[in-house]
Each structure stands twice: as structure tokens, then as C-alpha cells.
Amino acid sequence: MNDLGGTDKGKYKDQGWIPKTIKKRVCSTFVEDSFSNGRLCQCGNRRVDHSSVALGDCFSTAIVNHWDSAQHSSEYPTDAFGEVQFTGTSKRHSHFLRLSWDTSPSMVYNVMIIHWRLPPPNLVVSVVGGDGRSKVKTWVREVIRQGLVKASQRAGAWILTTGLREGLSRCVGAAVRDHAAAASSDSNKVVALGIASWGLVHNREQLVNPKGSFPAKYYVQTSQDSCCLDNNYQAFLLVDDGTLGRRGGEMAFRAKLEDFISHQRTGILGSGSIDIPVLCVLISGEARVMDFCLKNSMPWLVLAGSGGTADFLSDLLDNLSSTQTFQSDSEAGPSVNMKEKVAEQAKRYFFTELVTDKLVDQVSAGEYFDTVLLKALQRASDDASPYNEELKLAVTWNRVDIAKSELFNGDIQWKHEDLEESMTDVLINDKPQFVRLFTENGFNIHDYLSYGRLEELYCSVAEGTLLYQLLQRYLVLRLGPTTSISRSASAANLQESLTKGNTEKLLGEPIRQITLFECPNKILHGEPEYRKGRCQSSWASLFIWAVLQNRSEMAAFFWEMQSESVLTALSGCKMLRELSRLESENETKLSMKELAQTFEMHVFSSCYRSDESRSFDLLIRKSSVWGGTTCLQMGMGADARLFFGHDGVQALLSQIWWGDMDRNTEVWKLLLTFFCPFLCYTNFITFSHYGTTVKSFSDLKNLPPPRPFIVSRWRQLWFAPVTSFLGNVLMYFLFLVFYAFVLLIDFKPPLPTGPSISECLLYFWVFTIMCEEIRRIFFLESRTHLQYLRGYIQDVWNKCYVIAITLFIAGSICRMFEQSYDAGHDILCVDYMVFTLRLIHMFAVHKQLGPKIIIIGKMMKDAFLFLFFLGVWIMAYGVASQALIYSYDPNLSRILRRVFYRPYLLMFGEDFVKEIDGRRDSFATCIEGAEPCRLLYNNWLVVILLAIYLLVTNILLINLLIAMFSHTFSKVHGNSDIYWKFQRYNLVVQYHSRPSLAPPFIILSHINLFIRRIIRKVPSVKIKHFVLQLSQKASNRLLTWETIQKEDVLTAQNKIQKSSDSERLKQISAKLDGVVKYLSEIRDIDHRLRALENEMKYCSNAHRWTVETLAQSSTFKPPRPPPLS
């Protein structure tokens, strides 16, 4: 039933089911209208327009006095549906449907929501009254435009009228049009829905098409009010009861539709906490509207002073609210309550239940419609606690301002259980302002969030989103390929069923469909106990839930409430960047990246400025909430380059890099100390006091016992990562020199003559290098072997090392045998180049060379793109020129050289012009089989192709490559320092975990590590430099300090936001609204004072007349003269 768009044929195919399901009404019995002399039927149609069947039953029509639609009309497939385009007014299309008055409202509602894709309403306002060509008062127009439609837009409401260009419906349409033009793209949209009688619509024949109209051309009379459809409405339901030109035929269906909608849930996929509120608004109206008011069970709102029935009912409400009793003229007469009098009078006019039971409120023009609608629906509710209903309505309409002013102003004491249902509603429907409001007013999230409620939140994930697909994929992996999952299943319920359910029983069952309802009953076999348990990290769990759905404002609030601010922000950054790689929509991907960047540098700058030592502890503290990770590890996984570019992070890395040595130590002093180790015991190199580094990274209670000076100074020198780095660089240069010596000078023949002693030493050297790479993978304590193996393979330089070692092993094996000796030598020569390229990675730690290496790496991508275009031109020119010069050449190797190699060298200026543009006498003689004779008759074409080839390659492509390099350099150069700082972390971690000795002496360190770690089980001390395990008390102190810094940052941000221009405009607007409200109150008081003055004037005149009359009378003599004025 989904409308897929596209051509008219496609739309008809989608809506071909409508005539089979939706019906129209046609008069089937002619009942003569006594006032038309037999020309008209009581249905309004002429006699000649009736079918022969309708005119044939004369006996039946003779005894019928009143025409009834249910008895005297028949149903036929509808012939008017689709889209309508209003010619001459607007290009926007509106949906329309002709339907019988007894059509099921559920079917019509599904058509509007699913097929027409109208947004589900949070409120339905049914406007009644003001039909026909009655003139609407000016102030009523303002109430509709500034009050009713504006409030409906804020609430995301549907407005129901007749949808015709007359009276009140025309005013509502114009107001909806004006608000839609001024509304922003992300604000709620008002849906104007017209429900009119089919026989009343002017030019309705333009809508008739049995196959559907996509669109139907509809002409609108704009000169005056008419019964034409209004082009400002989004959809029309044209109710057909078989009559023509009669009003009110749609009222019965309209009442049923309103009643059906009032039983539907609000929110995403019906996830709201309340049913959709429906409110009928009576404005003016004729006497016939009264019967509809009484039969409709919806609450009513009466606009006092609008005229007609609205004024009558308003006066009736005023009289009923009066508690005065009036005494009869006779002394013995009983007192009669005024309410009973009015009730008796109302019963005399209205034949059903008393109308005042349905009228919940009345409103004048000066009141605010937002609050009026909320209070009217709250008074009409049957809820035992009216404030709960008012809160649910405010949540549904997303009116946090009304909730603050009316419900959370301190007058109401809210209980925790009163807010639980509303909290679930605001979380699912993404209303972070209400979450903040509830939390600020004492709502305890830790008591609220159980594992069952957390699963309920994941159940609300919309189908088709990236999170839903990931959860479905995870479920398939856990269940195995033997279980298929229907699209109706909830991803969150399914994930929950795997984590806590009986998976073994599932895998043993046959293939079946798992639905949402089977998950808790058949998979979990009852309500599990863990659902009742409280979530240990409530704010972190909600933060993950919000981030996975890319809800930025909600995630920001949960981040504010979570204690571990820096680590929580980095974890959100990691999740968002991983999700952005999987997201296919560019807009969503961009929003994820922007949100990730906002999380990247939130609080740490303030922490570093406040206390450097504590900020270092914060970076390496091991968190139990986030799986034992640290800020540095999470930042590396999140690719948080801005975070690693911060001065505080770099200061920590520099401190770890230099160890206990002074950071300003020259490199030549370290190199000299390598050859003269006794210099470390002098003041040649400055060291910090013993234990300073340890105190900054570990608990003071766990300090090791002091060592002798000789041992401690030796460890301070050789345990620093910078010492390990310089030693490895020095030995690697020696390795490359020794490798070159073996290849060039001492490379012996195969067995049994070779290999030489120096070559065997080279083999041992490479073996120690390979042992170190194995240690890096399988003997790292901070991660599992599988995790580090994945990270190891992802690194480009590690791949280079694996290739180099693999080639060396292959070349070494091949060179041992005479048959493959030459191949082994060639492989070892190529492998030398790979080992030499590894030097680039070593010098990436250098502050000047590191950024340049990053720029070269980016330019290599441009070079590969350039080679693609160059290869196309080389192949195009090489094949064409070879075929033109030589018609046939049996030598394949010579062909390949001339097709690819010669054009490539031509680009660099190699001279092949004589061969290409040779004279005839140069090729007069051809030796059989040595060189084929070239063709000379097409020499001119070869020259033209050569000129074009050189023009494109040497001018166009080369300049393109230069432009690409310039663009890459200018783009990367500004951020190259950040890239270098980010990659520096990996290098510091790598050499921090390396043994002090470099290959080939590193084998001694490996033996020592094997004995200490594997045999003696002695834990590493150096790992504490990057992973710090604090006690509970110390951890709480650190987190409290971090929270204070976060609050300072948020306070500063709020000050900046309040001082912004947009916030000032909001404040000015709020003040102006208050002034307008105050002026309206003053105007109301002024009217009352004038009325009081008139009453006082009348009373004064009456008293004056009484005094004058008594003064002129002789029967009454006052004891004293009248008072003077």
C-alpha cells in the first residue's frame, strides 16, 4: 500500500485496490419531494438523473414519506480518488477520496497514515460551525490564525473542517497556509484535513475517474465564497451519502473517525503514553450543529462571543455555573435553584442528554490557546489525577514551556511513579528538554532504569535504521544460519533474548520465524529475573542508546549527567565514527561526524589548565564502566586526532617518552652514553629525583622498595622509550649496512659452498627481528591476542614488516638450492628495498620529518590516481602506434616493451623520434626474423598521434598531478601537525613496550621476559605508565574533580549562549509576549471599569430620582436634610 511515487501508471498500480475496497453511494429509490411537483427526489437529484431501477418501484415509493440513505441508496465502487491539482492557484497536490458514509474509519485512517503518508497526529482539533457564506468576525479570524492554528502547529495537530472555500473553513485554510510558509523545516507541520459531503462539492465531476486521478485538474473559483475545495488543505475525505446539495451528510462519518482516532496511541509507531486527544471547537454555528454536539462523545471547546450556537451555549454555561437562588414573589413560594431552571429549559430544547456534560470550557479572544487547549482536554479526561493527564498532553505536544509554568512551578508534589510513564515516552520520542525537566525536579534515573526498561528502549528502534540493521545482523550471528528473522521482530528484544535466553535450545530447534511476541514467551520461556534488576551505569547506558540513534541533544544531556566526562565523550566519538562509516545517507553521516567532533574536545582542556598531574592520571586511569579501557586507548580507537593534538596529551607522551631524563637532553649525549655507559652515573645527563615518575603514575601505597643508586640510574637510562628508540635506529642502520655488505660482497654460492658466516649472522639478526614482532602480538598484557593481532595487521608499517620478513625467508630458502639460487638472490635484493623503506616509519617521531612523511603518504594516493589516467593514455597510444608502425611482430616481449615501456619513457624525454618518424632509406633492408619491416605509408598518422600523446601527458596530466599535489599539500599541511601528534602515540607505545636492547641483542631481553612473565609470573611495571589502577577512594576523588571541571565548562558555555544574539532575541520575544498579555489584561480591566462606571452612573441617577421623589412627597418627612455632594 505504500506510495512509491513515480509515474502515473505506477501510482495507479499502487492504488488499484481502492475501488475494490472503498465504495460510493448512489440513490436507488426515487422518493418524490412534495415541494418540487415530482421533478426532484428527496435526495436532491432530479428524476431524469435516476436510473430506471430507482424509478421502477412505484408502489414502494408511494408508501415512503422520508428518504433514508441506508435504505434508499446502494454502494458501488468509488470513482474519485488520487491526487488533485488546483489549477491557477498552486502546483501542490492534495490527496482526495470519495467514500461512503458507513466506510470503516480504521481503513480510512490507515490510508491517510500509510498510503498518503500524513504524519501521525499528536492532537486532533475538529472545528465545527461557521458553515455557508456567513461572515466570520475579524477578531475570530485572528483567534484562528494566532491562536488555534499556531497552537496546533506547536502540538503537531490535525485540523478537521469541511475543507471548502467558504466561511470558517476558508479562514482555517488561509491560516494554515501562512503558518506553513513561515515555519522552519524541523518544526511540526499542521495537517489540514477536509471532510465534506460529496454532493455539496462544486465541480466535483472534475474529480471523477474510475481508474484514479494522478493528478486531477480542479478549477477553483477565487472570486467569491463557494463550495469549491480549498487548495490550502493537504487531504480531502469526500463523504457520499447519496444526496446532492445537502449539508451535514458527512457528520456521521466524521464523528466515527474522530472516535477511532481518539483510541489510537501517540508517538513513534504508537509508542506514546496516551491516546491521541481529540477536541471539538465550536465557533459560531447554526442551530443544526446542536444535534452533532450532543451525539459526539468528544470534549468541546466553545469560543464565546463568536455568535450563533457558540454564544447560546456559552450563556448556558454561565447560567449553570451560577449558584444563586431566587425567591418567588409570594412569601410562601419555595426557592427554585437557577441551575434546575436552566436544565429544564435545556431539556425542552434538546432531546438527548444534557449538552453541558460535553462542554468542558469556553474561551474568549484574549486568552492563549496553548494553555486553553491543554486545560480543556485535562478537564475532559477521566483520569483520577488530572495533573498526570495534563503532563501527558504537554509531553505529547512537546511543550516544555507549558509544563514548566503550569506543572513544575513548585505547587505540585510529583511522585516518582507519576513520571515513569512520561519518562519512557520522552525518551522514545526524543524529547530531551523533558528529560532534563524531569531530572531537575528530582526524578531518580537509577530507580527508573532497569534492564527491562532498557530493553524496552531498544525495542523502540525504528525499523530500517542503521541500528536496527546492526542488531538484526548481530542476532543472526548469535543464532546461526538456521534461524530466519521476520521484519516484524524487534531487534532489541531479539538481542536481549540472546544475551539472557537459552541459546542452546534455540540452535536445536528447526527453522522458524521469530516474531516480537514469540521472543519473550517462547525464547525466554517466561519473565526473566534479570529484567527487574537495576542498571548499574544508568547514564552511560542511556548515553550509548542515544548515540547509537544519533540523537545529539539527548546524548549531550546524558553526557552531562555521566561522571566520567572525558572517557564518555571519547566513547561517543568512537561509536559515531564507526557508525558514520556504515551509514549510507550522506546527511546522516555528516551529522554523525559533526557530533563526534563536538565530543572530541569537551572537558580535558579545562582539566589540564586546572591541574596537570591529575589530568595525566585522568588520561591513563582504568575505567570499570567502559570495560577497563583508558582515555588514551579510547581516543586511539575513536581516531580522535584533535584530542591527541592537545598540549596536555602531548605533555604526557613526552613525559613517558623521556622517562626520568630531562626533556631538553640533546640526542648526541644519549648516543655518546651508548658507547660510554659510565657517563650515566655523572651529571652528563640530567635525571629527575628517584621516584618522581612513579608517583605521578601509580598509587603511593604501591611504591617499590628503593634500589641501589647504580641499579636505579641504570634503569632510568635504559628503560626510557627514547633510549630504546635511539638504540633501535642505530642498530637498524648497522643492519642495513651489514645486509648490503652480504648482498654485494659476501654472498656465497648455494650449498655446500655457502652461505658464509656473515650471511648466517644476517639470518640470526632477522630471526631476532621476527621474534620481536611475535612478542608484540602475543605478549602484550593490556589487550587480548586477537584484539592486538587485528590492530597489528591494520597498521601499514606492520604489513611492510611482515612482507619484508616473508620475502627474506623465501629468498633464504631459495638461495640454498642451485636451481633456485638466482631467484633467491633476486628476492633478497628486493627485500632489501622493503627493509630500507621501514626507516621512514622510524623517523615519523621527528617533529620536522613526521608531518612531511604524512604529506608524502597522502600524495601517494594522488599518484596512484594519476597512474590510472596515465595508464589509459599509455595503452591507447602504445597499441595504436605499434600497430601503425609494424603490421606484424611475432616477438611478444618486444611488443610489450614497445607498447608500454617506450611511451612511458617518451613522457620523460627519451628520444625515440628516429624510430617513430624514420625516413624510407633508413629501413630499406630488413633482416629476416631479426626486426620486422615498418610501414611508411601511414607515417603522418603516427606523428599526429605522437604529438597528441605528448600534449596530453606532458602538459595536461603532469599539470593535473602538480595541481593535485598542491591541493593535497595545502589541505594536509595545516593539519599535518595534528596527524603527526596522533601517530606519535603509537610510536611511543611501541617503543615503551619494547625491550631496552635492539636486535640482535634483543634475544637476551626476550629470554629474560620469558622467564619473568611466563615462568615466574612477575607483572610488568612499565604497563602502569599507560594503565593506572586507582583505589576506589582515589578514583572517587579524581572523578569529583573532573565533574567540577565539567560543570565549569558547561557554565561558561551557558554564559556564551545566553549572550548570543539568538538568545537575546528569544528573551526580547518572551518579554514582548508578556507585555502583550499584560496589555490585554489592562484592556480587559478597562472594559470592566467602564461597565462599572456605567452601572454606578445608573445607580446614582436612580438614587437621585428616589431622593427627589421622596423630597417632593408629603407623606414622608426625613429627620435630617439630604447630604451634600
Coordinates of all heavy atoms in Angstrom, one line a residue, residues 375-426:
K375 N -5.8 22.7 29.2 CA -6.7 22.7 30.3 C -8.0 22.1 29.9 O -8.7 21.4 30.7 CB -6.9 24.1 30.9 CG -5.6 24.6 31.6 CD -5.8 25.9 32.2 CE -4.6 26.4 32.9 NZ -4.3 25.6 34.1
A376 N -8.5 22.4 28.7 CA -9.8 21.8 28.3 C -9.7 20.3 28.2 O -10.6 19.6 28.6 CB -10.1 22.4 26.9
L377 N -8.6 19.8 27.6 CA -8.5 18.3 27.5 C -8.3 17.7 28.8 O -8.8 16.6 29.1 CB -7.4 18.0 26.5 CG -7.6 18.3 25.1 CD1 -6.4 18.1 24.2 CD2 -8.7 17.4 24.5
Q378 N -7.6 18.4 29.7 CA -7.4 17.9 31.0 C -8.7 17.8 31.8 O -8.9 16.8 32.5 CB -6.3 18.7 31.8 CG -6.1 18.3 33.2 CD -6.8 19.3 34.2 OE1 -6.8 20.5 33.9 NE2 -7.3 18.7 35.2
R379 N -9.5 18.8 31.7 CA -10.8 18.8 32.4 C -11.8 17.7 31.9 O -12.6 17.2 32.6 CB -11.5 20.1 32.3 CG -10.7 21.2 33.1 CD -11.4 22.6 32.9 NE -10.6 23.6 33.4 CZ -11.0 24.9 33.4 NH1 -12.2 25.3 32.9 NH2 -10.2 25.9 33.9
A380 N -11.6 17.4 30.6 CA -12.5 16.4 30.0 C -12.1 15.0 30.2 O -12.8 14.0 29.9 CB -12.6 16.6 28.4
S381 N -10.8 14.8 30.8 CA -10.3 13.4 31.0 C -11.0 12.8 32.2 O -11.5 13.5 33.1 CB -8.8 13.5 31.1 OG -8.5 14.1 32.3
D382 N -11.0 11.5 32.2 CA -11.5 10.7 33.3 C -10.4 10.3 34.3 O -10.6 9.4 35.1 CB -12.2 9.5 32.8 CG -13.4 9.9 31.9 OD1 -14.0 10.9 32.2 OD2 -13.8 9.1 31.0
D383 N -9.2 10.8 34.1 CA -8.1 10.4 34.9 C -8.3 10.8 36.4 O -8.8 11.9 36.6 CB -6.8 11.0 34.4 CG -5.6 10.2 34.9 OD1 -5.6 9.7 36.0 OD2 -4.6 10.1 34.1
A384 N -8.0 9.9 37.3 CA -8.1 10.2 38.7 C -7.2 11.4 39.1 O -7.5 12.2 40.0 CB -7.8 9.0 39.6
S385 N -6.1 11.5 38.5 CA -5.1 12.6 38.7 C -5.1 13.5 37.5 O -4.4 13.1 36.5 CB -3.7 12.0 39.0 OG -2.8 13.1 39.3
P386 N -5.8 14.6 37.5 CA -5.8 15.5 36.3 C -4.5 16.0 35.9 O -4.2 16.3 34.8 CB -6.8 16.6 36.8 CG -6.7 16.6 38.3 CD -6.5 15.2 38.7
Y387 N -3.6 16.2 36.9 CA -2.2 16.7 36.5 C -1.4 15.7 35.7 O -0.7 16.1 34.8 CB -1.5 17.1 37.8 CG -2.1 18.2 38.6 CD1 -2.6 18.0 39.9 CD2 -2.2 19.5 38.1 CE1 -3.2 19.0 40.6 CE2 -2.8 20.5 38.8 CZ -3.3 20.3 40.1 OH -3.8 21.3 40.8
N388 N -1.6 14.4 35.9 CA -1.0 13.4 35.1 C -1.4 13.6 33.6 O -0.6 13.5 32.7 CB -1.2 12.0 35.6 CG -0.5 11.7 36.9 OD1 0.5 12.4 37.2 ND2 -0.9 10.8 37.6
E389 N -2.7 13.7 33.4 CA -3.2 13.9 32.1 C -2.7 15.1 31.4 O -2.3 15.1 30.3 CB -4.7 13.9 32.1 CG -5.4 13.8 30.7 CD -5.2 12.5 30.0 OE1 -4.9 11.5 30.7 OE2 -5.3 12.5 28.8
E390 N -2.6 16.2 32.2 CA -2.1 17.5 31.6 C -0.6 17.3 31.3 O -0.2 17.8 30.3 CB -2.3 18.6 32.7 CG -2.1 20.0 32.1 CD -2.5 21.1 33.1 OE1 -3.1 20.7 34.1 OE2 -2.2 22.2 32.8
L391 N 0.1 16.6 32.1 CA 1.5 16.4 31.8 C 1.7 15.5 30.6 O 2.6 15.8 29.7 CB 2.2 15.7 33.0 CG 3.7 15.3 32.8 CD1 4.5 16.5 32.5 CD2 4.2 14.5 34.0
K392 N 0.9 14.5 30.4 CA 0.9 13.6 29.2 C 0.6 14.4 28.0 O 1.3 14.2 26.9 CB 0.0 12.4 29.4 CG 0.4 11.4 30.4 CD -0.6 10.3 30.6 CE -0.2 9.4 31.7 NZ -1.2 8.3 31.9
L393 N -0.3 15.3 28.0 CA -0.6 16.2 26.9 C 0.5 17.1 26.6 O 0.9 17.3 25.4 CB -1.9 17.0 27.2 CG -3.2 16.2 27.2 CD1 -4.3 17.1 27.7 CD2 -3.5 15.6 25.8
A394 N 1.1 17.7 27.6 CA 2.3 18.6 27.3 C 3.4 17.8 26.7 O 4.1 18.3 25.9 CB 2.7 19.3 28.7
V395 N 3.6 16.6 27.2 CA 4.7 15.7 26.6 C 4.4 15.4 25.2 O 5.3 15.4 24.3 CB 4.9 14.5 27.5 CG1 5.7 13.5 26.7 CG2 5.5 14.8 28.8
T396 N 3.2 15.1 24.9 CA 2.8 14.7 23.5 C 3.0 15.8 22.6 O 3.4 15.7 21.5 CB 1.3 14.2 23.5 OG1 1.1 13.1 24.4 CG2 0.9 13.8 22.1
W397 N 2.7 17.1 23.0 CA 2.8 18.2 22.2 C 4.2 18.8 22.2 O 4.5 19.8 21.5 CB 1.8 19.3 22.6 CG 0.4 18.9 22.5 CD1 -0.1 17.7 21.9 CD2 -0.8 19.5 23.0 NE1 -1.5 17.7 22.0 CE2 -1.9 18.8 22.7 CE3 -0.9 20.7 23.7 CZ2 -3.2 19.1 23.1 CZ3 -2.2 21.1 24.1 CH2 -3.3 20.3 23.8
N398 N 5.1 18.3 23.1 CA 6.4 18.7 23.2 C 6.5 20.2 23.7 O 7.2 21.0 23.2 CB 7.2 18.6 21.9 CG 8.7 18.6 22.2 OD1 9.2 18.5 23.3 ND2 9.5 18.8 21.1
R399 N 5.6 20.5 24.6 CA 5.5 21.9 25.1 C 6.1 21.9 26.5 O 5.4 21.9 27.5 CB 4.1 22.4 25.2 CG 3.4 22.5 23.8 CD 4.2 23.4 22.9 NE 4.5 24.7 23.5 CZ 3.6 25.7 23.4 NH1 2.5 25.6 22.8 NH2 3.9 26.9 24.0
V400 N 7.4 22.0 26.6 CA 8.1 22.0 27.9 C 7.9 23.4 28.6 O 7.9 23.4 29.8 CB 9.6 21.8 27.7 CG1 10.3 22.9 27.0 CG2 10.3 21.4 29.0
D401 N 7.6 24.4 27.8 CA 7.3 25.7 28.5 C 6.0 25.7 29.3 O 6.0 26.2 30.4 CB 7.3 26.8 27.4 CG 6.3 26.5 26.3 OD1 6.0 25.3 26.1 OD2 5.9 27.4 25.6
I402 N 5.0 25.0 28.7 CA 3.8 24.9 29.5 C 4.0 24.0 30.7 O 3.4 24.3 31.8 CB 2.7 24.3 28.6 CG1 2.3 25.3 27.4 CG2 1.4 24.0 29.4 CD1 1.2 24.8 26.5
A403 N 4.7 23.0 30.6 CA 5.0 22.1 31.7 C 5.7 22.8 32.8 O 5.4 22.6 34.0 CB 5.8 20.9 31.2
K404 N 6.7 23.7 32.4 CA 7.4 24.4 33.5 C 6.5 25.4 34.2 O 6.6 25.6 35.4 CB 8.6 25.2 32.8 CG 9.8 24.3 32.4 CD 10.9 25.1 31.8 CE 12.1 24.3 31.5 NZ 13.2 25.1 30.9
S405 N 5.7 26.2 33.4 CA 4.9 27.2 34.0 C 3.7 26.7 34.7 O 3.2 27.3 35.7 CB 4.5 28.2 32.9 OG 3.7 27.5 31.9
E406 N 3.1 25.6 34.3 CA 1.8 25.1 34.8 C 2.0 24.0 35.8 O 1.2 23.8 36.7 CB 0.9 24.7 33.7 CG 0.5 25.9 32.7 CD -0.3 26.9 33.4 OE1 -1.0 26.6 34.3 OE2 -0.3 28.1 32.9
L407 N 3.0 23.1 35.5 CA 3.0 21.8 36.3 C 4.2 21.7 37.2 O 4.2 21.0 38.2 CB 3.0 20.6 35.3 CG 1.8 20.6 34.3 CD1 2.0 19.4 33.3 CD2 0.5 20.4 35.1
F408 N 5.3 22.3 36.8 CA 6.6 22.2 37.6 C 7.0 23.6 38.2 O 8.1 24.0 38.1 CB 7.7 21.6 36.8 CG 7.5 20.2 36.4 CD1 6.9 19.8 35.2 CD2 7.9 19.1 37.3 CE1 6.6 18.5 34.9 CE2 7.7 17.8 36.9 CZ 7.1 17.5 35.7
N409 N 6.0 24.3 38.7 CA 6.3 25.6 39.3 C 6.4 25.5 40.8 O 6.4 26.6 41.5 CB 5.2 26.6 38.9 CG 3.8 26.0 39.2 OD1 3.6 25.0 39.8 ND2 2.7 26.7 38.6
G410 N 6.4 24.3 41.4 CA 6.5 24.2 42.8 C 5.2 23.9 43.6 O 5.2 23.6 44.8
D411 N 4.1 24.1 42.9 CA 2.8 23.9 43.5 C 2.4 22.4 43.6 O 1.5 22.1 44.5 CB 1.7 24.7 42.8 CG 2.0 26.2 42.8 OD1 2.7 26.6 43.7 OD2 1.5 26.9 41.9
I412 N 2.9 21.6 42.8 CA 2.6 20.2 42.7 C 3.7 19.3 43.2 O 4.9 19.5 42.7 CB 2.1 19.8 41.3 CG1 1.0 20.7 40.8 CG2 1.6 18.3 41.2 CD1 0.7 20.5 39.3
Q413 N 3.4 18.4 44.1 CA 4.5 17.5 44.5 C 4.4 16.2 43.7 O 3.5 15.4 43.9 CB 4.3 17.2 46.0 CG 4.4 18.4 46.9 CD 5.8 19.0 46.9 OE1 6.8 18.3 46.7 NE2 5.9 20.3 47.0
W414 N 5.3 16.0 42.8 CA 5.3 14.9 41.9 C 6.0 13.7 42.6 O 7.0 13.8 43.2 CB 6.0 15.2 40.6 CG 5.3 16.2 39.7 CD1 5.5 17.5 39.7 CD2 4.2 15.9 38.9 NE1 4.7 18.1 38.8 CE2 3.8 17.2 38.3 CE3 3.5 14.8 38.5 CZ2 2.8 17.3 37.4 CZ3 2.5 14.9 37.6 CH2 2.1 16.1 37.0
K415 N 5.3 12.5 42.4 CA 5.9 11.3 42.9 C 6.7 10.6 41.7 O 6.5 10.9 40.6 CB 4.8 10.3 43.4 CG 4.0 10.9 44.6 CD 3.0 9.9 45.0 CE 2.2 10.4 46.2 NZ 1.1 9.5 46.6
H416 N 7.6 9.7 42.1 CA 8.5 9.1 41.1 C 7.6 8.2 40.2 O 7.8 8.3 39.0 CB 9.5 8.2 41.8 CG 10.4 7.4 40.9 ND1 11.5 8.0 40.3 CD2 10.3 6.1 40.4 CE1 12.0 7.1 39.5 NE2 11.3 5.9 39.5
E417 N 6.6 7.5 40.7 CA 5.8 6.7 39.8 C 4.9 7.5 38.9 O 4.5 6.9 37.9 CB 5.0 5.7 40.7 CG 4.2 6.3 41.8 CD 4.9 6.5 43.1 OE1 6.2 6.3 43.0 OE2 4.3 6.7 44.1
D418 N 4.6 8.7 39.2 CA 3.8 9.6 38.3 C 4.6 9.9 37.1 O 3.9 10.3 36.1 CB 3.4 10.8 39.1 CG 2.5 10.5 40.3 OD1 1.8 9.5 40.2 OD2 2.4 11.3 41.2
L419 N 5.9 9.9 37.1 CA 6.7 10.4 36.0 C 7.3 9.3 35.2 O 7.9 9.5 34.2 CB 7.8 11.3 36.5 CG 7.3 12.6 37.2 CD1 8.6 13.4 37.7 CD2 6.5 13.5 36.3
E420 N 7.2 8.0 35.6 CA 7.8 6.9 35.0 C 7.3 6.7 33.5 O 8.1 6.6 32.6 CB 7.6 5.6 35.8 CG 8.5 5.6 37.0 CD 8.4 4.2 37.7 OE1 7.5 3.5 37.3 OE2 9.2 4.0 38.6
E421 N 6.0 6.7 33.4 CA 5.4 6.5 32.0 C 5.8 7.7 31.1 O 6.1 7.5 29.9 CB 3.9 6.3 32.1 CG 3.3 5.9 30.8 CD 1.8 5.7 31.0 OE1 1.2 5.9 32.1 OE2 1.1 5.3 30.0
S422 N 5.7 8.9 31.6 CA 6.1 10.0 30.8 C 7.6 10.0 30.4 O 7.9 10.4 29.3 CB 5.7 11.3 31.5 OG 4.3 11.4 31.7
M423 N 8.4 9.6 31.4 CA 9.8 9.5 31.1 C 10.1 8.5 29.9 O 10.9 8.8 29.0 CB 10.6 9.1 32.3 CG 12.1 8.9 32.1 SD 13.0 10.3 31.5 CE 13.3 11.2 33.0
T424 N 9.4 7.4 29.9 CA 9.6 6.4 28.8 C 9.1 7.1 27.5 O 9.8 6.9 26.5 CB 8.8 5.2 29.1 OG1 9.2 4.6 30.4 CG2 9.0 4.1 28.0
D425 N 8.1 7.8 27.6 CA 7.5 8.5 26.4 C 8.5 9.5 25.8 O 8.8 9.5 24.6 CB 6.2 9.2 26.7 CG 5.5 9.7 25.5 OD1 6.0 9.5 24.4 OD2 4.4 10.2 25.6
V426 N 9.1 10.3 26.7 CA 10.0 11.4 26.2 C 11.3 10.8 25.7 O 12.0 11.3 24.8 CB 10.3 12.4 27.2 CG1 9.0 13.1 27.6 CG2 10.9 11.8 28.5

